[in-house]
Amino acid sequence: MSRPSIAEVSALIADLAAHRQNRTSGEFAALMARKAELLERIATHTPDDAEAAEVARLARERADSLKSAD
């Protein structure tokens, strides 16, 4: 799993901000999946950070629940 780049984090933040303007549910699920994947990659690269792992786990749960709601 590759280390996330600042550009990837910036792109996700920009897309989340744009989503707030449009509010489309299908896009939201995809954004939450991207967010979870990014947080999982961050947690992988900071193995001693229990909080990062927990945040990634919660983000994945949320993304998966949105996927199953579709």
Side-chain angles (χ1 to χ4, degrees):
M1 206 176 267
S2 65
R3 170 174 269 163
S5 69
I6 296 299
E8 288 176 292
V9 174
S10 295
L12 178 64
I13 291 169
D15 290 346
L16 288 168
H19 170 74
R20 289 182 150 223
Q21 301 299 318
N22 298 332
R23 302 262 185 210
T24 55
S25 61
E27 289 178 10
F28 183 68
L31 283 172
M32 292 301 99
R34 277 177 56 203
K35 176 182 170 185
E37 190 265 336
L38 202 58
L39 289 170
E40 288 167 339
R41 288 170 50 206
I42 290 169
T44 296
H45 286 279
T46 55
D48 296 334
D49 189 340
E51 186 176 357
E54 179 65 5
V55 169
R57 184 189 69 75
L58 292 171
R60 174 54 58 200
E61 277 183 13
R62 174 73 171 139
D64 289 348
S65 74
L66 291 170
K67 188 180 353 176
S68 65
D70 284 341

